[in-house]
Amino acid sequence: MTSIQQRGIERIWTVEHRQNSPIHIAGMVLDPNKMKESDPFLFLAEDWFKKGTFDFHPHRGIETVTYVIEGKLEHQDNKAGKGELEPGDVQWMTAGRGVIHIEDPAEEETVHSLQLWVNLPREHKMAEPRYQNLRAKDMPVRKEDGALIRIFSGSSGGIQSDTKNYVPVTMVEINVEPGAMVTQDLPGDYNGFMYILEGKGLFGKNQTEAEKGHVLLLEKAETGQASEISIKSVENLRVLLYAGRPLNEPIVARGPFVMNTEEEIRQAYRDYMAGKFAE
Ligand code: FE2
């Protein structure tokens, strides 16, 4: 008989924010110095920013997943991709072999957003760039007693999103009313974490208490087995949960490029300088 492993919480921390400029406050939800424990995720940044904070910049070898908490975010790239994200929407960008883009708040807007960097596996680092605009209103939703789970990637309770992944990732927004409880299923080999956007709750097999602003790293589970994490609400909860299958590959990260070797990083700079990202 196989049983479902109940995951607990490995570690909890809060995010330190700092003022980078008069129009930009930033903090690291997932520390880029601890990429190993969150593999395939490289980091997660939280930003409050106005138009003019970021300029056009390149990426290679990764995917960026941007979740808008507040404000209206405009996006533009060198391949004529253009779009606007509203609160609760997600853009899943595969930089692959190369993208040059800008993410800018609309005029007079302050955007509050979360941007996750997902590492790409060796065989897909040079994939064709693509965008998936994942509108909150279009995503599949799982409803349980007192709970609503919006599925941006992967699945929840047998409901599957059709978001395309190079590395399997579950990304769900979990909303739970006080007193209600819900569980999120995850393959045993996934690494995962949660970030609490609103409310207070009890998490995992030890009913670990946590609230708005806390980041919770999930305990690992056995590879090849099913696992789940329980989420119980004390005060109206809104939580983002991200989990994915680790790549276990060497990581060489330099600025906006994340590859497997130093030589590949040098090649990325050469290609960028030679204008190959614009082709
Ligand atoms: Fe970017």
Side-chain angles (χ1 to χ4, degrees), residues 57 59 64 101 103 115:
H57 59 274
H59 292 290
T64 64
H101 75 155
E103 293 140 309
Q115 187 170 83

Side-chain angles (χ1 to χ4, degrees), residues 122-188:
R122 183 181 276 117
E123 71 267 30
H124 296 301
K125 283 209 177 282
M126 298 296 276
E128 200 55 38
R130 76 178 173 208
Y131 294 90
Q132 299 176 82
N133 283 318
L134 310 175
R135 308 267 172 217
K137 64 177 169 52
D138 299 334
M139 303 320 291
V141 158
R142 173 184 160 203
K143 286 190 180 134
E144 302 288 349
D145 270 352
L148 186 152
I149 301 180
R150 185 167 284 109
I151 307 158
F152 287 102
S153 180
S155 68
S156 187
I159 300 174
Q160 180 84 36
S161 98
D162 54 16
T163 302
K164 297 188 193 87
N165 288 154
Y166 283 110
V167 48
V169 169
T170 297
M171 176 187 176
V172 290
E173 181 202 290
I174 302 171
N175 301 275
V176 195
E177 290 168 14
M181 194 193 78
V182 73
T183 59
Q184 170 63 43
D185 48 297
L186 296 169

Side-chain angles (χ1 to χ4, degrees), residues 38-171:
S38 57
D39 183 9
F41 306 126
L42 297 161
F43 67 79
L44 176 66
E46 181 168 30
D47 296 279
W48 286 261
F49 61 115
K50 288 190 168 165
K51 200 176 180 71
T53 299
F54 300 109
D55 204 352
F56 276 95
H57 59 274
H59 292 290
R60 174 178 279 183
I62 55 161
E63 297 185 295
T64 64
V65 179
T66 307
Y67 177 92
V68 177
I69 299 171
E70 287 167 293
K72 210 178 259 188
L73 185 64
E74 293 173 346
H75 167 264
Q76 228 187 97
D77 72 62
N78 60 320
K79 303 268 161 53
K82 213 178 153 114
E84 202 174 73
L85 298 180
E86 304 260 354
D89 292 346
V90 169
Q91 183 188 66
W92 200 293
M93 180 190 82
T94 305
R97 65 181 170 79
V99 149
I100 301 171
H101 75 155
I102 187 168
E103 293 140 309
D104 229 1
E107 215 63 64
E108 301 300 315
E109 294 263 338
T110 297
V111 167
H112 177 195
S113 65
L114 295 171
Q115 187 170 83
L116 177 76
W117 284 27
V118 181
N119 202 6
L120 281 171
R122 183 181 276 117
E123 71 267 30
H124 296 301
K125 283 209 177 282
M126 298 296 276
E128 200 55 38
R130 76 178 173 208
Y131 294 90
Q132 299 176 82
N133 283 318
L134 310 175
R135 308 267 172 217
K137 64 177 169 52
D138 299 334
M139 303 320 291
V141 158
R142 173 184 160 203
K143 286 190 180 134
E144 302 288 349
D145 270 352
L148 186 152
I149 301 180
R150 185 167 284 109
I151 307 158
F152 287 102
S153 180
S155 68
S156 187
I159 300 174
Q160 180 84 36
S161 98
D162 54 16
T163 302
K164 297 188 193 87
N165 288 154
Y166 283 110
V167 48
V169 169
T170 297
M171 176 187 176

Side-chain angles (χ1 to χ4, degrees), residues 188-212:
D189 61 342
Y190 278 25
N191 287 330
F193 69 96
M194 294 183 279
Y195 188 37
I196 306 177
L197 300 181
E198 296 293 340
K200 188 192 265 190
L202 302 169
F203 300 84
K205 67 173 181 214
N206 299 318
Q207 302 268 293
T208 306
E209 208 179 299
E211 61 185 34
K212 178 178 174 161

